[in-house]
Amino acid sequence: MKEHTKDLCLLHIAVMLLGFSGTIGQFVTVSSMLITFGRVAFSLILLTSILLVKKESFRLGCGKDYCIIVVAGVVLCIHWVTFFQAIHCSTVAIGIISFSTFPIFVTFLEPLIYHEKYSIQSIICSFVLMLGVMITVPEFSLENQVTVGIMWGMVSSCSFAILSLINRYLSTHYDGSKICFYEQGVVAILLLPVFIMSDVVWSRSDIMGVMAIGFLCTALAYSLYISAQKTIKAQTVGLISGLETVYGILYAAILLQEIPSSQELMGAAIILGVAVYTSMQKAGKEGVL
């Protein structure tokens, strides 16, 4: 019970940090691919230091795990690039709200992959989450930047759902820092050619912004996020992560003066309600409350 309580607290801290990345990304002027590369480059510095200080081995248990973690890295790359693309196309609120639909994909994929029973409550909550996102869609037209941003956010959402399911397996075998090290190393390798061929001049604010995203919103946040999954199911993790939407909107409103519309606030309220309800229900069943 104590371990579960600790993991639940770590998960909430991680989600608060993850919600900050979108706002910081709006201060960075380079492309989404370059932001992602810079993010993992700085994150890898901290992750390598953590592993060295803890004197942990960099080796994985078997060849199959190397293959799995490479696939996870490719999926992570897709997730981050499409996430920043969604924000650049629209706003932080739209990008985060649309991304937060990933519990829907988790709800239907997790039982298939791990041979578990479908939860009627999770299915209902997932559809309510989808309703919250659909409310934010202004019009179904590719000429509308908000709609395009939502579409990019949905791609980011689906890829993150797949990543969460892969990390559920990896987190039972390895420490979160080691998993992040390998996954982000794959992302760095994939995007290195983009960085080399780019002739973009990085400003001081670009570098500082990417450093903050890399150290706080990536290395620290994802290490906590993955470690928390040792005792918490992916469906619960996904639904609690809906709080990232609320944090992201608050950060953007305070720092960017991006005041969300009534539609966006309504969608965010629905997502927040589902996330809080699910978190309390889970905690009550596990004897945390």
Side-chain angles (χ1 to χ4, degrees):
M1 185 190 304
K2 290 183 178 179
E3 186 177 0
H4 177 85
T5 305
K6 174 186 174 183
D7 287 342
L8 199 61
C9 292
L10 292 179
L11 178 61
H12 280 286
I13 293 173
V15 170
M16 290 180 67
L17 291 174
L18 290 171
F20 203 26
S21 64
T23 299
I24 299 175
Q26 289 293 67
F27 288 100
V28 181
T29 60
V30 297
S31 70
S32 57
M33 286 190 177
L34 288 177
I35 292 177
T36 303
F37 175 80
R39 176 181 198 168
V40 295
F42 285 112
S43 176
L44 284 171
I45 295 173
L46 181 57
L47 288 171
T48 302
S49 301
I50 292 174
L51 291 174
L52 290 174
V53 169
K54 294 170 69 175
K55 297 181 179 179
E56 288 194 16
S57 170
F58 284 82
R59 297 175 64 86
L60 299 182
C62 61
K64 183 187 75 171
D65 289 349
Y66 283 102
C67 294
I68 292 174
I69 214 161
V70 166
V71 172
V74 173
V75 175
L76 177 61
C77 184
I78 295 171
H79 160 61
W80 274 339
V81 170
T82 54
F83 174 70
F84 284 114
Q85 188 63 31
I87 289 175
H88 285 173
C89 283
S90 51
T91 64
V92 172
I94 290 297
I96 294 179
I97 290 174
S98 56
F99 153 70
S100 65
T101 59
F102 78 87
I104 299 174
F105 299 104
V106 171
T107 295
F108 292 101
L109 289 175
E110 186 175 37
L112 291 175
I113 295 174
Y114 289 100
H115 307 292
E116 299 172 347
K117 291 183 179 180
Y118 282 97
S119 168
I120 299 299
Q121 177 178 304
S122 294
I123 292 175
I124 293 174
C125 288
S126 293
F127 278 112
V128 175
L129 281 175
M130 188 63 185
L131 174 63
V133 174
M134 295 303 294
I135 288 174
T136 65
V137 179
E139 60 176 322
F140 294 94
S141 171
L142 293 179
E143 295 181 0
N144 189 296
Q145 285 299 100
V146 172
T147 302
V148 173
I150 291 174
M151 292 178 66
W152 279 115
M154 292 292 286
V155 175
S156 179
S157 165
C158 182
S159 58
F160 189 74
I162 296 171
L163 182 66
S164 296
L165 295 175
I166 297 174
N167 283 339
R168 176 182 169 183
Y169 162 78
L170 292 172
S171 64
T172 61
H173 296 77
Y174 306 102
D175 181 74
S177 299
K178 183 181 292 187
I179 296 171
C180 288
F181 172 81
Y182 274 99
E183 289 179 351
Q184 292 172 29
V186 172
V187 176
I189 292 172
L190 289 173
L191 296 180
L192 182 59
V194 177
F195 175 74
I196 292 175
M197 293 185 291
S198 173
D199 58 355
V200 174
V201 177
W202 291 63
S203 66
R204 179 178 297 180
S205 61
D206 290 336
I207 296 174
M208 295 298 294
V210 172
M211 282 181 64
I213 295 174
F215 290 142
L216 296 178
C217 307
T218 307
L220 179 58
Y222 275 91
S223 293
L224 295 177
Y225 190 90
I226 294 175
S227 296
Q229 296 184 41
K230 290 180 181 178
T231 62
I232 304 176
K233 289 178 61 177
Q235 290 181 27
T236 305
V237 171
L239 291 167
I240 292 175
S241 297
L243 291 169
E244 181 181 343
T245 303
V246 180
Y247 295 133
I249 291 175
L250 288 175
Y251 296 147
I254 295 172
L255 299 176
L256 299 173
Q257 284 75 55
E258 285 187 5
I259 307 302
S261 66
S262 57
Q263 285 179 280
E264 294 169 9
L265 287 174
M266 188 179 299
I270 292 174
I271 293 170
L272 173 61
V274 172
V276 171
Y277 169 77
T278 305
S279 181
M280 292 179 66
Q281 287 288 103
K282 180 66 176 178
K285 289 180 181 178
E286 297 290 341
V288 176
L289 295 179

